[in-house]
Amino acid sequence: MINGDVTVAFHDVETQQFVAEDYFLQAKSQCDGVNGVCPDRRLGGSNDVIVLGGRRHNGITTIIYRKNIENLDSRLDRPISTTGYANMIAAIGPLNQRKEANYHGGDRTGPDEIRRINFFQRDVLGCPVPLDKDIDAISEKGEIAPEMKKLKPWDPMVLKNVDVFHVKIGPTGGDRGYTAITGNPSWGLAFYVNDYLIPELVLERGKTYTFVVETGNDQTNPAEYHPFYITDSEEGGLGQNSDAQQVAYAGVAVVDGQYVPTAAGRHCRYVVGPNSKPELYSRFEDYFKTLTLECKDGNPHYLTFTVPANAPDELYYQCYTHTSLGWKIHIVDDHSGHHQFTGHAGAERAAQHSGASSLCLSSIIFLIFVRMWC
């Protein structure tokens, strides 16, 4: 999929408009404004896709759009064959807070599958009606029916009375993991802290903590470069928007008036195996046993953080270059009090919102790779 020319199309539930955007795939990672799965316009190009119309009916979103085949951008666009069939692949996944493609889920054509389409056939509305057992379970408003909400999110873990935190990268845990717990869209990777998926941390004002960061420091590979930092932003990703109204409390320095990430260590990632299917495990601990840790050569980065006396009650540990990899930090005056954190209540809250976040709040993305260069 690298160097693929992509159209991302979706129905924006906030504006009630159909949208189609021209994308280019520079790397298998979230767009950081320079690399990754980015709209052409964020890379200095233009959106060469024009929406002609759209329709939503019985859970199916149909969008008709046009893309020019002449005067293409040689850097970001790929030619479309005017005769015969062209290779393509498709995927479905959530959008992030910027309404950009975040990550495709399991609903996609595989690397060994060949899908071909003739973009110049005369019967332009001749697409067959898809046969999907879940079609009737989705309303025209994009709401998911109760029968589709079968998986209970894993209970969020809370780490307190801990002074050293080991941070690595791993999978998001499918429908039981990141999005189900937080209510926010993920893009396929998340932070693991002390071998738990995005646990909530409890830190005490005035105390010093150590974060052993092994989330990737290869700046030439966006998929393996995830500098760690502490912020008041739930989304993170300060490197994507340095003008954002967020405060960085650790892991970021200011050099010549510019933000620079400082907490990036070697890349250690938990990799899924043949039995790593979140739907099979009601407890995260059982799912975690199916993962294998793989680390690149190099050293961790040791980040020390002394919690300021005036720190707000809630902060977040996040990735500097990408959004939505980490989660909450609760700031307390001392650990002796009876503080109530997310726990089971958080799991219930996330269950109420997680289904809507991918189909309703964020809408759906449909990716067509007009030309593949793998």
Side-chain angles (χ1 to χ4, degrees), residues 260-329:
V260 177
T262 61
R266 68 173 182 168
H267 186 260
C268 284
R269 178 179 177 180
Y270 290 105
V271 180
V272 298
N275 297 319
S276 301
K277 299 178 180 180
E279 64 270 18
L280 301 180
Y281 305 97
S282 60
R283 299 188 330 130
F284 168 77
E285 291 80 358
D286 297 326
Y287 170 75
F288 182 73
K289 294 176 183 177
T290 69
L291 306 179
T292 302
L293 181 63
E294 296 181 357
C295 291
K296 296 292 183 68
D297 293 337
N299 299 310
H301 178 90
Y302 293 86
L303 172 68
T304 57
F305 174 51
T306 300
V307 184
N310 62 347
D313 292 339
E314 193 166 276
L315 293 175
Y316 299 86
Y317 58 94
Q318 282 292 359
C319 173
Y320 178 85
T321 55
H322 306 104
T323 59
S324 300
L325 267 71
W327 193 220
K328 292 181 179 179
I329 300 175

Side-chain angles (χ1 to χ4, degrees), residues 40-55:
D40 285 10
R41 288 190 284 193
R42 289 193 69 187
L43 299 175
S46 60
N47 182 22
D48 298 316
V49 178
I50 301 174
V51 175
L52 301 179
R55 179 173 182 260

Side-chain angles (χ1 to χ4, degrees), residues 17-190:
Q17 293 181 335
F18 295 96
V19 180
E21 186 78 25
D22 203 359
Y23 273 64
F24 184 69
L25 305 187
Q26 291 183 301
K28 295 180 180 180
S29 65
Q30 183 186 120
C31 180
D32 60 9
V34 178
N35 287 300
V37 180
C38 294
D40 285 10
R41 288 190 284 193
R42 289 193 69 187
L43 299 175
S46 60
N47 182 22
D48 298 316
V49 178
I50 301 174
V51 175
L52 301 179
R55 179 173 182 260
R56 304 192 77 203
H57 182 67
N58 290 335
I60 301 175
T61 299
T62 303
I63 298 176
I64 302 175
Y65 65 88
R66 181 181 70 194
K67 182 172 183 179
N68 293 330
I69 61 173
E70 298 178 348
N71 301 319
L72 298 176
D73 185 331
S74 61
R75 183 172 61 95
L76 301 176
D77 292 323
R78 293 291 176 261
I80 300 174
S81 174
T82 58
T83 59
Y85 287 84
N87 292 336
M88 55 83 70
I89 61 176
I92 296 175
L95 304 177
N96 60 21
Q97 288 87 339
R98 296 177 63 105
K99 296 183 181 180
E100 293 180 357
N102 212 38
Y103 185 75
H104 62 66
D107 297 324
R108 64 184 179 90
T109 56
D112 297 325
E113 297 180 74
I114 297 178
R115 295 289 185 268
R116 310 185 73 193
I117 187 171
N118 185 347
F119 288 99
F120 295 87
Q121 62 185 7
R122 292 183 179 274
D123 187 10
V124 294
L125 297 179
C127 295
V129 177
L131 301 177
D132 192 320
K133 61 182 177 61
D134 291 328
I135 288 289
D136 295 332
I138 306 177
S139 74
E140 291 193 23
K141 295 181 180 179
E143 297 172 344
I144 301 177
E147 57 266 30
M148 292 184 68
K149 300 178 182 178
K150 299 177 182 178
L151 297 180
K152 179 181 180 295
W154 290 317
D155 291 336
M157 174 59 64
V158 177
L159 299 181
K160 58 187 301 185
N161 296 315
V162 177
D163 297 326
V164 179
F165 300 97
H166 295 263
V167 188
K168 299 178 176 67
I169 285 287
T172 55
D175 291 337
R176 294 189 186 273
Y178 190 97
T179 296
I181 293 171
T182 67
N184 298 326
S186 68
W187 69 283
L189 293 176

